[in-house]
Amino acid sequence: FAGQSADMENIHQLVKAAEKKYGHKIYIIEDASHALGSVYRNTNVGSCTYSDMTVLSFHPVKHITTGEGGAVLSNDENTDIRLRLFSSHGITRDHDLLKNNLGPWYYEQIDLGYNYRITDIQSALGISQLKKLSTFRNRRREIVDRYNNELQSIPLLQIPFESKDCNSNFHLYVILFDYEKVGKTRNSFKEALQAENILTQIHYIPVHLHPYYQTNFGTKWGDYPKAENYFEKCLSIPLYPAMSDNDVTKVIETVKEIYRGNR
């Protein structure tokens, strides 16, 4: 979440113990959609050191983009073959996989799949973006360091958690603010920032509070108090590599002024 890796080593150990106990393979699929460029225990997130597959997102707001889409990474050859088939209707031209071979033009559908192919144009954009990943990441960390230094002294405001095992790319910078104790509402806080052209977002509404789950699974407010407590306090403030130092200063000073009641 927001660039912070899950505790993958402990998850891996639990799964391996369960595999031994129950006698069958359990796959670990690591959702690293927020974490391209993050490091966990001195290993790049996405290396699949502790997982069978890692999922990445290249949505426009992520660290690099292909316009839309993403990728699945794996170190296992059989998994790689299945994923490639799955992404293209189960069709292959690989001679090693064909039942028959009628020539270089020949192809077969050997499995069921979907049309999940990424376009060449998107791929070209992604390759270009990937070359800039370290630059993007470094600038994000500079901004995060300023935010941490300047905002951590504000009473009733909590800066983002970062595990000692993780060096985060900080896809999002989410502050937790106790609006009730300050005597403000989150909406008024957001509106005051927006009046200064500082746009914020809520990441995220807990899954169990969405109508689909409430209707189909009977979930309701009060089922997951920790998620709900987080939701009531969270606010994502701007964080992107193109922010200037003046932009960062404006965000910091405006947050402080709203807290003091000057805006």
Side-chain angles (χ1 to χ4, degrees), residues 156-159 173-182 184-186 189-190 201-204 206 221 225-237:
L156 304 175
L157 184 150
Q158 181 180 332
I159 61 174
Y173 192 90
V174 186
I175 59 174
L176 299 181
F177 203 66
D178 197 329
Y179 301 98
E180 185 177 351
K181 288 185 178 179
V182 178
K184 300 180 182 295
T185 66
R186 181 166 56 190
F189 203 90
K190 279 176 60 62
Q201 188 54 274
I202 309 301
H203 295 106
Y204 294 91
W221 189 275
K226 290 186 178 181
E228 292 158 13
N229 181 61
Y230 166 87
F231 167 58
E232 290 182 308
K233 295 179 179 179
C234 69
L235 185 69
S236 297
I237 60 177

mmCIF file of all heavy atoms in Angstrom, residues 156-159 173-182 184-186 189-190 201-204 206 221 225-237:
data_model
loop_
_atom_site.group_PDB
_atom_site.id
_atom_site.type_symbol
_atom_site.label_atom_id
_atom_site.label_comp_id
_atom_site.label_asym_id
_atom_site.label_seq_id
_atom_site.Cartn_x
_atom_site.Cartn_y
_atom_site.Cartn_z
ATOM 1 N N LEU A 156 -1.680 16.021 16.462
ATOM 2 C CA LEU A 156 -2.825 15.253 15.973
ATOM 3 C C LEU A 156 -2.709 14.870 14.501
ATOM 4 O O LEU A 156 -3.667 14.420 13.885
ATOM 5 C CB LEU A 156 -4.136 16.005 16.211
ATOM 6 C CG LEU A 156 -4.404 16.419 17.664
ATOM 7 C CD1 LEU A 156 -5.667 17.261 17.752
ATOM 8 C CD2 LEU A 156 -4.520 15.194 18.561
ATOM 9 N N LEU A 157 -1.507 15.060 13.914
ATOM 10 C CA LEU A 157 -1.266 14.629 12.536
ATOM 11 C C LEU A 157 -0.211 13.530 12.552
ATOM 12 O O LEU A 157 0.837 13.670 13.185
ATOM 13 C CB LEU A 157 -0.793 15.802 11.679
ATOM 14 C CG LEU A 157 -0.593 15.532 10.183
ATOM 15 C CD1 LEU A 157 -0.853 16.807 9.368
ATOM 16 C CD2 LEU A 157 0.803 15.003 9.852
ATOM 17 N N GLN A 158 -0.495 12.436 11.859
ATOM 18 C CA GLN A 158 0.430 11.303 11.785
ATOM 19 C C GLN A 158 0.950 11.169 10.360
ATOM 20 O O GLN A 158 0.181 11.061 9.406
ATOM 21 C CB GLN A 158 -0.284 10.010 12.205
ATOM 22 C CG GLN A 158 0.607 8.771 12.179
ATOM 23 C CD GLN A 158 -0.147 7.522 12.597
ATOM 24 O OE1 GLN A 158 -1.104 7.602 13.374
ATOM 25 N NE2 GLN A 158 0.265 6.379 12.079
ATOM 26 N N ILE A 159 2.286 11.199 10.220
ATOM 27 C CA ILE A 159 2.881 11.014 8.902
ATOM 28 C C ILE A 159 2.893 9.523 8.561
ATOM 29 O O ILE A 159 2.713 8.676 9.435
ATOM 30 C CB ILE A 159 4.310 11.599 8.850
ATOM 31 C CG1 ILE A 159 5.231 10.898 9.859
ATOM 32 C CG2 ILE A 159 4.279 13.106 9.100
ATOM 33 C CD1 ILE A 159 6.685 11.330 9.761
ATOM 34 N N TYR A 173 1.364 9.787 -0.453
ATOM 35 C CA TYR A 173 1.738 10.316 0.856
ATOM 36 C C TYR A 173 0.436 10.591 1.602
ATOM 37 O O TYR A 173 -0.253 11.582 1.340
ATOM 38 C CB TYR A 173 2.568 11.589 0.738
ATOM 39 C CG TYR A 173 3.215 11.990 2.049
ATOM 40 C CD1 TYR A 173 4.484 11.523 2.394
ATOM 41 C CD2 TYR A 173 2.552 12.808 2.958
ATOM 42 C CE1 TYR A 173 5.081 11.872 3.593
ATOM 43 C CE2 TYR A 173 3.135 13.158 4.159
ATOM 44 C CZ TYR A 173 4.402 12.687 4.472
ATOM 45 O OH TYR A 173 4.988 13.027 5.671
ATOM 46 N N VAL A 174 0.096 9.677 2.508
ATOM 47 C CA VAL A 174 -1.187 9.729 3.212
ATOM 48 C C VAL A 174 -0.958 10.183 4.652
ATOM 49 O O VAL A 174 -0.291 9.497 5.426
ATOM 50 C CB VAL A 174 -1.889 8.358 3.209
ATOM 51 C CG1 VAL A 174 -3.290 8.486 3.813
ATOM 52 C CG2 VAL A 174 -1.971 7.786 1.801
ATOM 53 N N ILE A 175 -1.509 11.335 4.987
ATOM 54 C CA ILE A 175 -1.466 11.780 6.384
ATOM 55 C C ILE A 175 -2.740 11.317 7.082
ATOM 56 O O ILE A 175 -3.802 11.213 6.466
ATOM 57 C CB ILE A 175 -1.306 13.311 6.503
ATOM 58 C CG1 ILE A 175 -2.454 14.048 5.805
ATOM 59 C CG2 ILE A 175 0.038 13.760 5.950
ATOM 60 C CD1 ILE A 175 -2.436 15.556 6.003
ATOM 61 N N LEU A 176 -2.610 11.021 8.372
ATOM 62 C CA LEU A 176 -3.767 10.704 9.206
ATOM 63 C C LEU A 176 -3.966 11.877 10.161
ATOM 64 O O LEU A 176 -3.047 12.254 10.889
ATOM 65 C CB LEU A 176 -3.540 9.406 9.983
ATOM 66 C CG LEU A 176 -3.312 8.147 9.152
ATOM 67 C CD1 LEU A 176 -3.126 6.939 10.058
ATOM 68 C CD2 LEU A 176 -4.460 7.908 8.188
ATOM 69 N N PHE A 177 -5.164 12.432 10.139
ATOM 70 C CA PHE A 177 -5.430 13.645 10.904
ATOM 71 C C PHE A 177 -6.674 13.440 11.741
ATOM 72 O O PHE A 177 -7.704 12.983 11.234
ATOM 73 C CB PHE A 177 -5.633 14.816 9.932
ATOM 74 C CG PHE A 177 -5.390 16.162 10.527
ATOM 75 C CD1 PHE A 177 -4.131 16.543 10.946
ATOM 76 C CD2 PHE A 177 -6.433 17.059 10.669
ATOM 77 C CE1 PHE A 177 -3.905 17.794 11.495
ATOM 78 C CE2 PHE A 177 -6.223 18.316 11.208
ATOM 79 C CZ PHE A 177 -4.955 18.685 11.622
ATOM 80 N N ASP A 178 -6.578 13.754 13.025
ATOM 81 C CA ASP A 178 -7.727 13.605 13.912
ATOM 82 C C ASP A 178 -8.583 14.868 13.828
ATOM 83 O O ASP A 178 -8.483 15.781 14.651
ATOM 84 C CB ASP A 178 -7.257 13.366 15.353
ATOM 85 C CG ASP A 178 -8.361 12.795 16.224
ATOM 86 O OD1 ASP A 178 -9.539 13.123 15.966
ATOM 87 O OD2 ASP A 178 -8.062 12.015 17.145
ATOM 88 N N TYR A 179 -9.427 14.913 12.800
ATOM 89 C CA TYR A 179 -10.214 16.118 12.520
ATOM 90 C C TYR A 179 -11.141 16.471 13.674
ATOM 91 O O TYR A 179 -11.323 17.647 14.002
ATOM 92 C CB TYR A 179 -11.037 15.913 11.236
ATOM 93 C CG TYR A 179 -10.193 15.603 10.034
ATOM 94 C CD1 TYR A 179 -10.007 14.285 9.614
ATOM 95 C CD2 TYR A 179 -9.573 16.618 9.319
ATOM 96 C CE1 TYR A 179 -9.217 13.997 8.506
ATOM 97 C CE2 TYR A 179 -8.789 16.345 8.218
ATOM 98 C CZ TYR A 179 -8.608 15.020 7.819
ATOM 99 O OH TYR A 179 -7.825 14.736 6.743
ATOM 100 N N GLU A 180 -11.714 15.449 14.300
ATOM 101 C CA GLU A 180 -12.683 15.701 15.379
ATOM 102 C C GLU A 180 -12.040 16.453 16.534
ATOM 103 O O GLU A 180 -12.608 17.426 17.048
ATOM 104 C CB GLU A 180 -13.264 14.370 15.861
ATOM 105 C CG GLU A 180 -14.362 14.531 16.892
ATOM 106 C CD GLU A 180 -14.982 13.203 17.305
ATOM 107 O OE1 GLU A 180 -14.668 12.173 16.668
ATOM 108 O OE2 GLU A 180 -15.774 13.210 18.270
ATOM 109 N N LYS A 181 -10.834 16.025 16.929
ATOM 110 C CA LYS A 181 -10.168 16.681 18.059
ATOM 111 C C LYS A 181 -9.712 18.096 17.708
ATOM 112 O O LYS A 181 -9.592 18.954 18.579
ATOM 113 C CB LYS A 181 -8.984 15.844 18.522
ATOM 114 C CG LYS A 181 -9.389 14.564 19.237
ATOM 115 C CD LYS A 181 -8.181 13.824 19.796
ATOM 116 C CE LYS A 181 -8.616 12.569 20.545
ATOM 117 N NZ LYS A 181 -7.435 11.810 21.076
ATOM 118 N N VAL A 182 -9.445 18.323 16.419
ATOM 119 C CA VAL A 182 -9.023 19.658 15.987
ATOM 120 C C VAL A 182 -10.220 20.589 15.817
ATOM 121 O O VAL A 182 -10.084 21.814 15.788
ATOM 122 C CB VAL A 182 -8.224 19.559 14.664
ATOM 123 C CG1 VAL A 182 -7.805 20.926 14.152
ATOM 124 C CG2 VAL A 182 -6.991 18.693 14.865
ATOM 125 N N LYS A 184 -12.413 20.318 13.186
ATOM 126 C CA LYS A 184 -12.665 20.529 11.763
ATOM 127 C C LYS A 184 -13.264 19.266 11.174
ATOM 128 O O LYS A 184 -13.247 18.206 11.800
ATOM 129 C CB LYS A 184 -11.369 20.872 11.021
ATOM 130 C CG LYS A 184 -10.665 22.131 11.504
ATOM 131 C CD LYS A 184 -9.404 22.382 10.701
ATOM 132 C CE LYS A 184 -8.666 23.607 11.218
ATOM 133 N NZ LYS A 184 -9.426 24.846 11.043
ATOM 134 N N THR A 185 -13.770 19.382 9.954
ATOM 135 C CA THR A 185 -14.181 18.197 9.208
ATOM 136 C C THR A 185 -13.171 17.968 8.085
ATOM 137 O O THR A 185 -12.471 18.904 7.666
ATOM 138 C CB THR A 185 -15.577 18.361 8.590
ATOM 139 O OG1 THR A 185 -15.532 19.394 7.587
ATOM 140 C CG2 THR A 185 -16.599 18.718 9.659
ATOM 141 N N ARG A 186 -13.116 16.753 7.623
ATOM 142 C CA ARG A 186 -12.196 16.470 6.514
ATOM 143 C C ARG A 186 -12.610 17.248 5.274
ATOM 144 O O ARG A 186 -11.755 17.760 4.546
ATOM 145 C CB ARG A 186 -12.136 14.975 6.216
ATOM 146 C CG ARG A 186 -11.170 14.641 5.077
ATOM 147 C CD ARG A 186 -10.858 13.180 4.990
ATOM 148 N NE ARG A 186 -12.048 12.357 4.852
ATOM 149 C CZ ARG A 186 -12.048 11.033 4.946
ATOM 150 N NH1 ARG A 186 -10.926 10.383 5.200
ATOM 151 N NH2 ARG A 186 -13.170 10.345 4.810
ATOM 152 N N PHE A 189 -11.361 20.721 5.490
ATOM 153 C CA PHE A 189 -9.910 20.713 5.321
ATOM 154 C C PHE A 189 -9.563 20.603 3.836
ATOM 155 O O PHE A 189 -8.716 21.345 3.311
ATOM 156 C CB PHE A 189 -9.318 19.537 6.103
ATOM 157 C CG PHE A 189 -7.876 19.703 6.471
ATOM 158 C CD1 PHE A 189 -7.508 20.289 7.663
ATOM 159 C CD2 PHE A 189 -6.872 19.253 5.620
ATOM 160 C CE1 PHE A 189 -6.168 20.432 8.017
ATOM 161 C CE2 PHE A 189 -5.541 19.388 5.955
ATOM 162 C CZ PHE A 189 -5.178 19.981 7.157
ATOM 163 N N LYS A 190 -10.230 19.663 3.139
ATOM 164 C CA LYS A 190 -10.009 19.471 1.707
ATOM 165 C C LYS A 190 -10.372 20.736 0.925
ATOM 166 O O LYS A 190 -9.653 21.143 0.003
ATOM 167 C CB LYS A 190 -10.842 18.294 1.181
ATOM 168 C CG LYS A 190 -10.243 16.929 1.436
ATOM 169 C CD LYS A 190 -11.165 15.800 0.974
ATOM 170 C CE LYS A 190 -11.482 15.850 -0.494
ATOM 171 N NZ LYS A 190 -10.291 15.694 -1.373
ATOM 172 N N GLN A 201 -6.914 13.664 -2.097
ATOM 173 C CA GLN A 201 -7.767 12.514 -2.397
ATOM 174 C C GLN A 201 -7.864 11.629 -1.160
ATOM 175 O O GLN A 201 -7.041 11.732 -0.235
ATOM 176 C CB GLN A 201 -7.207 11.736 -3.586
ATOM 177 C CG GLN A 201 -8.089 10.628 -4.118
ATOM 178 C CD GLN A 201 -9.490 11.091 -4.465
ATOM 179 O OE1 GLN A 201 -10.354 11.126 -3.592
ATOM 180 N NE2 GLN A 201 -9.709 11.454 -5.726
ATOM 181 N N ILE A 202 -8.865 10.763 -1.158
ATOM 182 C CA ILE A 202 -9.068 9.808 -0.067
ATOM 183 C C ILE A 202 -8.680 8.421 -0.574
ATOM 184 O O ILE A 202 -9.300 7.905 -1.498
ATOM 185 C CB ILE A 202 -10.541 9.778 0.405
ATOM 186 C CG1 ILE A 202 -11.040 11.192 0.705
ATOM 187 C CG2 ILE A 202 -10.685 8.862 1.625
ATOM 188 C CD1 ILE A 202 -10.267 11.933 1.755
ATOM 189 N N HIS A 203 -7.651 7.828 -0.008
ATOM 190 C CA HIS A 203 -7.195 6.480 -0.397
ATOM 191 C C HIS A 203 -7.188 5.581 0.853
ATOM 192 O O HIS A 203 -6.270 5.625 1.631
ATOM 193 C CB HIS A 203 -5.787 6.531 -0.975
ATOM 194 C CG HIS A 203 -5.667 7.279 -2.251
ATOM 195 N ND1 HIS A 203 -5.087 8.528 -2.326
ATOM 196 C CD2 HIS A 203 -6.046 6.972 -3.515
ATOM 197 C CE1 HIS A 203 -5.098 8.952 -3.578
ATOM 198 N NE2 HIS A 203 -5.681 8.025 -4.318
ATOM 199 N N TYR A 204 -8.208 4.727 0.996
ATOM 200 C CA TYR A 204 -9.349 4.467 0.139
ATOM 201 C C TYR A 204 -10.573 4.237 1.016
ATOM 202 O O TYR A 204 -10.462 4.098 2.227
ATOM 203 C CB TYR A 204 -9.119 3.209 -0.697
ATOM 204 C CG TYR A 204 -7.995 3.328 -1.696
ATOM 205 C CD1 TYR A 204 -6.710 2.949 -1.336
ATOM 206 C CD2 TYR A 204 -8.215 3.824 -2.973
ATOM 207 C CE1 TYR A 204 -5.679 3.066 -2.248
ATOM 208 C CE2 TYR A 204 -7.188 3.928 -3.892
ATOM 209 C CZ TYR A 204 -5.904 3.559 -3.524
ATOM 210 O OH TYR A 204 -4.882 3.678 -4.410
ATOM 211 N N PRO A 206 -13.027 1.798 2.569
ATOM 212 C CA PRO A 206 -12.930 0.355 2.849
ATOM 213 C C PRO A 206 -13.895 -0.454 1.988
ATOM 214 O O PRO A 206 -15.040 -0.047 1.747
ATOM 215 C CB PRO A 206 -13.305 0.266 4.334
ATOM 216 C CG PRO A 206 -12.923 1.602 4.897
ATOM 217 C CD PRO A 206 -13.236 2.585 3.806
ATOM 218 N N TRP A 221 -21.075 -0.924 8.376
ATOM 219 C CA TRP A 221 -20.206 -0.098 9.210
ATOM 220 C C TRP A 221 -20.091 -0.740 10.596
ATOM 221 O O TRP A 221 -21.075 -1.163 11.179
ATOM 222 C CB TRP A 221 -20.778 1.308 9.325
ATOM 223 C CG TRP A 221 -19.808 2.255 9.981
ATOM 224 C CD1 TRP A 221 -19.636 2.449 11.310
ATOM 225 C CD2 TRP A 221 -18.865 3.093 9.333
ATOM 226 N NE1 TRP A 221 -18.631 3.367 11.540
ATOM 227 C CE2 TRP A 221 -18.145 3.783 10.343
ATOM 228 C CE3 TRP A 221 -18.546 3.335 7.992
ATOM 229 C CZ2 TRP A 221 -17.131 4.702 10.042
ATOM 230 C CZ3 TRP A 221 -17.539 4.255 7.707
ATOM 231 C CH2 TRP A 221 -16.851 4.932 8.720
ATOM 232 N N PRO A 225 -13.376 -2.155 12.414
ATOM 233 C CA PRO A 225 -13.143 -0.852 13.032
ATOM 234 C C PRO A 225 -11.783 -0.237 12.733
ATOM 235 O O PRO A 225 -11.667 0.991 12.646
ATOM 236 C CB PRO A 225 -13.302 -1.142 14.537
ATOM 237 C CG PRO A 225 -13.193 -2.628 14.679
ATOM 238 C CD PRO A 225 -13.688 -3.202 13.410
ATOM 239 N N LYS A 226 -10.745 -1.055 12.555
ATOM 240 C CA LYS A 226 -9.425 -0.472 12.270
ATOM 241 C C LYS A 226 -9.404 0.159 10.883
ATOM 242 O O LYS A 226 -8.854 1.252 10.695
ATOM 243 C CB LYS A 226 -8.331 -1.539 12.406
ATOM 244 C CG LYS A 226 -8.094 -1.970 13.841
ATOM 245 C CD LYS A 226 -6.911 -2.923 13.959
ATOM 246 C CE LYS A 226 -6.663 -3.302 15.412
ATOM 247 N NZ LYS A 226 -5.503 -4.222 15.558
ATOM 248 N N ALA A 227 -9.983 -0.525 9.902
ATOM 249 C CA ALA A 227 -10.069 0.034 8.551
ATOM 250 C C ALA A 227 -10.918 1.301 8.550
ATOM 251 O O ALA A 227 -10.599 2.291 7.878
ATOM 252 C CB ALA A 227 -10.641 -0.993 7.585
ATOM 253 N N GLU A 228 -11.998 1.281 9.319
ATOM 254 C CA GLU A 228 -12.899 2.431 9.368
ATOM 255 C C GLU A 228 -12.231 3.622 10.061
ATOM 256 O O GLU A 228 -12.403 4.777 9.640
ATOM 257 C CB GLU A 228 -14.186 2.038 10.079
ATOM 258 C CG GLU A 228 -15.012 1.031 9.292
ATOM 259 C CD GLU A 228 -15.978 0.239 10.155
ATOM 260 O OE1 GLU A 228 -16.190 0.622 11.331
ATOM 261 O OE2 GLU A 228 -16.520 -0.779 9.666
ATOM 262 N N ASN A 229 -11.464 3.354 11.118
ATOM 263 C CA ASN A 229 -10.755 4.420 11.823
ATOM 264 C C ASN A 229 -9.726 5.076 10.912
ATOM 265 O O ASN A 229 -9.591 6.308 10.874
ATOM 266 C CB ASN A 229 -10.066 3.861 13.066
ATOM 267 C CG ASN A 229 -9.331 4.927 13.837
ATOM 268 O OD1 ASN A 229 -9.907 5.895 14.316
ATOM 269 N ND2 ASN A 229 -8.014 4.755 13.959
ATOM 270 N N TYR A 230 -9.020 4.236 10.141
ATOM 271 C CA TYR A 230 -8.063 4.760 9.165
ATOM 272 C C TYR A 230 -8.794 5.629 8.129
ATOM 273 O O TYR A 230 -8.361 6.752 7.816
ATOM 274 C CB TYR A 230 -7.327 3.611 8.474
ATOM 275 C CG TYR A 230 -6.572 4.047 7.243
ATOM 276 C CD1 TYR A 230 -5.267 4.536 7.352
ATOM 277 C CD2 TYR A 230 -7.173 4.013 5.994
ATOM 278 C CE1 TYR A 230 -4.585 4.975 6.226
ATOM 279 C CE2 TYR A 230 -6.497 4.454 4.869
ATOM 280 C CZ TYR A 230 -5.207 4.923 4.992
ATOM 281 O OH TYR A 230 -4.543 5.369 3.874
ATOM 282 N N PHE A 231 -9.890 5.114 7.608
ATOM 283 C CA PHE A 231 -10.639 5.803 6.565
ATOM 284 C C PHE A 231 -11.095 7.187 7.024
ATOM 285 O O PHE A 231 -11.041 8.170 6.265
ATOM 286 C CB PHE A 231 -11.842 4.948 6.149
ATOM 287 C CG PHE A 231 -12.863 5.662 5.312
ATOM 288 C CD1 PHE A 231 -12.508 6.240 4.102
ATOM 289 C CD2 PHE A 231 -14.183 5.750 5.738
ATOM 290 C CE1 PHE A 231 -13.454 6.903 3.325
ATOM 291 C CE2 PHE A 231 -15.134 6.403 4.965
ATOM 292 C CZ PHE A 231 -14.766 6.987 3.760
ATOM 293 N N GLU A 232 -11.538 7.298 8.257
ATOM 294 C CA GLU A 232 -12.043 8.572 8.759
ATOM 295 C C GLU A 232 -10.951 9.630 8.903
ATOM 296 O O GLU A 232 -11.239 10.819 8.941
ATOM 297 C CB GLU A 232 -12.735 8.358 10.101
ATOM 298 C CG GLU A 232 -14.052 7.590 9.992
ATOM 299 C CD GLU A 232 -14.741 7.445 11.338
ATOM 300 O OE1 GLU A 232 -14.083 6.980 12.289
ATOM 301 O OE2 GLU A 232 -15.921 7.829 11.439
ATOM 302 N N LYS A 233 -9.675 9.195 8.961
ATOM 303 C CA LYS A 233 -8.572 10.126 9.202
ATOM 304 C C LYS A 233 -7.676 10.361 7.995
ATOM 305 O O LYS A 233 -6.874 11.297 7.995
ATOM 306 C CB LYS A 233 -7.718 9.609 10.369
ATOM 307 C CG LYS A 233 -8.451 9.569 11.700
ATOM 308 C CD LYS A 233 -7.558 9.022 12.805
ATOM 309 C CE LYS A 233 -8.286 8.997 14.152
ATOM 310 N NZ LYS A 233 -7.426 8.430 15.231
ATOM 311 N N CYS A 234 -7.768 9.512 6.962
ATOM 312 C CA CYS A 234 -6.771 9.553 5.889
ATOM 313 C C CYS A 234 -7.012 10.698 4.908
ATOM 314 O O CYS A 234 -8.150 11.060 4.615
ATOM 315 C CB CYS A 234 -6.726 8.224 5.146
ATOM 316 S SG CYS A 234 -8.189 7.838 4.154
ATOM 317 N N LEU A 235 -5.916 11.253 4.419
ATOM 318 C CA LEU A 235 -5.956 12.273 3.379
ATOM 319 C C LEU A 235 -4.627 12.232 2.625
ATOM 320 O O LEU A 235 -3.563 12.378 3.227
ATOM 321 C CB LEU A 235 -6.172 13.663 3.975
ATOM 322 C CG LEU A 235 -6.346 14.792 2.955
ATOM 323 C CD1 LEU A 235 -7.683 14.644 2.221
ATOM 324 C CD2 LEU A 235 -6.258 16.157 3.640
ATOM 325 N N SER A 236 -4.699 12.027 1.310
ATOM 326 C CA SER A 236 -3.487 11.999 0.484
ATOM 327 C C SER A 236 -3.214 13.393 -0.049
ATOM 328 O O SER A 236 -4.062 13.992 -0.714
ATOM 329 C CB SER A 236 -3.659 11.031 -0.688
ATOM 330 O OG SER A 236 -3.831 9.705 -0.231
ATOM 331 N N ILE A 237 -2.016 13.897 0.252
ATOM 332 C CA ILE A 237 -1.631 15.218 -0.243
ATOM 333 C C ILE A 237 -0.726 15.046 -1.465
ATOM 334 O O ILE A 237 -0.198 13.960 -1.704
ATOM 335 C CB ILE A 237 -0.940 16.052 0.864
ATOM 336 C CG1 ILE A 237 0.333 15.362 1.373
ATOM 337 C CG2 ILE A 237 -1.909 16.309 2.023
ATOM 338 C CD1 ILE A 237 1.095 16.191 2.413
#
